[in-house]
Amino acid sequence: QLVESGGGSVHAGDSLRLSCAASGRTFSNYALAWFRQAPGKEREMLASLSRGGATYYAVSVKGRFFISRDNDQSVAYLHLNGLKPEDTAVYYCAATLGQYLMMRSYNIFGPGTQVTVSS
């Protein structure tokens, strides 16, 4: 089970840190990712993190968002910096035993947390 937290309403340029708490599994066995979905748009994979620490970032967030994990605490994070109104969406964390770069491999999702950015 994955549960996200840390979303909220902020202004453009602000920062947030999203957290994803995992339970019921050996956390370190999983590759992790963060997705988002805005109204009327498809779900987008923003960042992923392999078991060994390799990372992937979508062009839309590269240099602004950073993914990290704490295997001892079974928590994943997404640090959001320089937020823009177009970052407004529901943000989801996800996990997979498969390849960290393959969006379709992610089969465990949290319920999501809303991020709203006003100009």
Side-chain angles (χ1 to χ4, degrees), residues 22-33:
S23 62
R25 295 174 171 87
T26 303
F27 188 71
S28 59
N29 288 347
Y30 289 78
L32 304 170

Side-chain angles (χ1 to χ4, degrees), residues 16-113:
L16 281 175
R17 188 184 75 169
L18 306 183
S19 299
C20 174
S23 62
R25 295 174 171 87
T26 303
F27 188 71
S28 59
N29 288 347
Y30 289 78
L32 304 170
W34 286 90
F35 291 73
R36 73 183 175 191
Q37 188 165 20
K41 295 188 176 181
E42 293 188 356
R43 188 173 291 188
E44 172 188 18
M45 189 168 82
L46 303 176
S48 62
L49 179 59
S50 74
R51 299 164 195 78
T55 57
Y56 157 84
Y57 293 97
V59 171
S60 58
V61 303
K62 194 169 186 178
R64 297 191 300 126
F65 292 6
F66 299 92
I67 189 171
S68 63
R69 67 192 296 167
D70 182 336
N71 287 336
D72 291 337
Q73 298 296 321
S74 297
V75 180
Y77 300 100
L78 186 67
H79 306 259
L80 293 70
N81 302 309
L83 283 161
K84 306 174 182 180
E86 52 262 44
D87 294 320
T88 295
V90 177
Y91 285 69
Y92 302 88
C93 67
T96 180
L97 290 171
Q99 293 293 320
Y100 81 105
L101 288 173
M102 293 184 64
M103 190 171 94
R104 294 182 180 180
S105 73
Y106 289 88
N107 56 353
I108 303 168
F109 284 83
T113 185

